[in-house]
Amino acid sequence: MTEIEKVLNPNVYAFAFHLIGDARGKDNPLWNWGDDFLESFTSEKLKQTLDFSEESSNFRVDLLPEISLGFNTKVSYNETKLDVSGFAKPIKIGDSYALWLNVGFPDSFVGEVSPQWLSTFNPQNLLGIVTGEEFLGETILITAKLPPQSPPPSLETLQSLAEKCCNALLPEKYRPPLNRAGELFGSPIFEYGLIKQTTNNRHLLVWFPSSEASEDKLGTYQQEIIDLFYYRNKIIKSFHNSRQIHSILFDFYRQVEDNVNSLQQRIDELGSDLTTQNLQDFKEELKTLLKTALTYTQWLIKLEDYGNTIAINLNN
């Protein structure tokens, strides 16, 4: 198996999503995160140029007058400087804000580079560190073309190359495990990140477009791809929240079960010889059980809401 040491035109795309909630307009933390990321590449600020004057009930609204904020700059690796370009595209989608970031080598760049150059596209590890209850999640897409070679590289060789790309972009503690491999528009793609991993959950895709037709389709279906990532992140966020509530409900259930068993044992022991104080004690315990049952019901409703959110977005 011959290792592939160089790639062509590597690019990183980040798709981050945050509920609007009470943080409407420029108050949403997604824009601060975007500006922190862009600071390493351009002096322009995303937050200053956002325009919410046309924000409406439409499902999708572009939030910049020029649709996106583009930039050109240079990055350094091993004392070599090369030109890179990128953009930031903020959007309102449904009940959320979305931010699509890109940085990479432009199509005009000619030459092969080490995958290690991807490390220059994640300054201070700002990709993937947005947190908060209303942050829905993020999908990172790495694209890199392959140098001409015959015969075509094996899946094992490409997986090794995908891992090099992943390792270059993200520090070790933030790297998600490999989930599966497949094809996107006829070109090999590798997915990293496990849905059931509720802590430190990350989603990373590494795609090696093998033809211009593949690249063209990525451009043609960019809106649909953003929507898919949006629905996916809403589903997974709801799933993770539902697991937390499931754990809370289980604790409540055990608490109620223990209290009821204890109460029944005391009734059996006392038999019919109940004093006024016994009855008063039982009355207070019943009040406590009723409060617990009410809280339990409220958590059940929340769990059902998350189930509905998962079903709706699966359908979408």
Side-chain angles (χ1 to χ4, degrees):
M1 179 176 67
T2 304
E3 292 287 333
I4 301 176
E5 302 295 339
K6 304 282 187 178
V7 293
L8 304 169
N9 303 95
N11 269 260
V12 171
Y13 302 87
F15 305 84
F17 306 92
H18 198 290
L19 286 173
I20 295 175
D22 295 328
R24 179 170 291 277
K26 293 186 179 182
D27 293 332
N28 198 279
L30 195 60
W31 317 132
N32 294 327
W33 171 75
D35 276 342
D36 289 342
F37 179 81
L38 290 171
E39 189 174 350
S40 297
F41 304 105
T42 177
S43 60
E44 294 190 65
K45 293 291 185 180
L46 175 70
K47 196 171 180 179
Q48 293 174 355
T49 53
L50 288 168
D51 181 7
F52 298 93
S53 61
E54 295 187 14
E55 189 172 0
S56 65
S57 59
N58 292 341
F59 178 75
R60 179 191 298 278
V61 180
D62 290 312
L63 299 176
L64 285 182
E66 302 298 324
I67 308 300
S68 65
L69 184 157
F71 62 86
N72 295 283
T73 187
K74 291 180 180 290
V75 295
S76 299
Y77 178 73
N78 278 352
E79 300 182 352
T80 300
K81 279 191 173 183
L82 292 175
D83 293 323
V84 298
S85 62
F87 61 81
K89 184 174 182 179
I91 314 165
K92 172 185 170 289
I93 304 180
D95 61 358
S96 307
Y97 290 131
L99 182 56
W100 178 14
L101 297 173
N102 162 247
V103 59
F105 289 97
D107 291 337
S108 58
F109 177 80
V110 179
E112 301 175 5
V113 296
S114 165
Q116 285 300 320
W117 275 91
L118 287 163
S119 63
T120 67
F121 300 162
N122 187 16
Q124 304 173 50
N125 188 38
L126 285 169
L127 287 178
I129 62 171
V130 181
T131 58
E133 182 59 32
E134 295 192 321
F135 177 66
L136 295 175
E138 177 189 27
T139 293
I140 298 173
L141 169 65
I142 299 173
T143 67
K145 290 185 281 191
L146 302 175
Q149 53 191 294
S150 183
S154 66
L155 191 64
E156 292 76 15
T157 300
L158 290 179
Q159 181 177 325
S160 175
L161 180 61
E163 288 174 0
K164 289 178 184 177
C165 293
C166 178
N167 294 346
L169 185 70
L170 297 176
E172 184 176 0
K173 69 175 182 177
Y174 295 117
R175 295 170 196 160
L178 178 67
N179 184 8
R180 54 184 171 171
E183 286 192 350
L184 173 67
F185 303 137
S187 296
I189 190 168
F190 296 84
E191 181 183 37
Y192 293 82
L194 304 177
I195 293 174
K196 292 185 178 181
Q197 190 172 343
T198 56
T199 58
N200 196 28
N201 179 269
R202 298 180 187 280
H203 187 224
L204 173 70
L205 299 165
V206 183
W207 186 51
F208 301 114
S210 56
S211 66
E212 288 187 13
S214 291
E215 292 183 277
D216 290 344
K217 284 186 177 180
L218 184 67
T220 300
Y221 296 111
Q222 58 181 253
Q223 299 294 352
E224 288 84 355
I225 289 172
I226 294 173
D227 289 349
L228 283 171
F229 289 154
Y230 167 63
Y231 297 135
R232 180 190 187 278
N233 279 287
K234 289 200 82 171
I235 289 166
I236 293 174
K237 178 73 172 182
S238 294
F239 168 71
H240 289 169
N241 287 342
S242 74
R243 294 307 85 198
Q244 293 175 1
I245 290 180
H246 182 273
S247 178
I248 292 170
L249 282 169
F250 183 75
D251 290 341
F252 265 105
Y253 178 82
R254 293 298 297 269
Q255 178 186 337
V256 171
E257 186 179 46
D258 291 343
N259 289 345
V260 170
N261 289 338
S262 175
L263 185 61
Q264 183 63 54
Q265 184 178 353
R266 288 175 60 192
I267 292 173
D268 292 340
E269 289 173 353
L270 291 170
S272 59
D273 299 326
L274 296 176
T275 66
T276 303
Q277 185 60 48
N278 292 147
L279 292 172
Q280 184 62 33
D281 292 342
F282 290 149
K283 183 178 179 181
E284 293 303 318
E285 289 193 36
L286 284 173
K287 287 181 180 179
T288 301
L289 281 171
L290 285 172
K291 289 180 181 177
T292 304
L294 178 61
T295 305
Y296 185 84
T297 302
Q298 290 170 339
W299 282 113
L300 275 177
I301 292 171
K302 261 196 131 174
L303 184 64
E304 185 178 358
D305 287 342
Y306 285 129
N308 290 335
T309 298
I310 290 171
I312 290 168
N313 285 283
L314 277 171
N315 180 66
N316 290 340

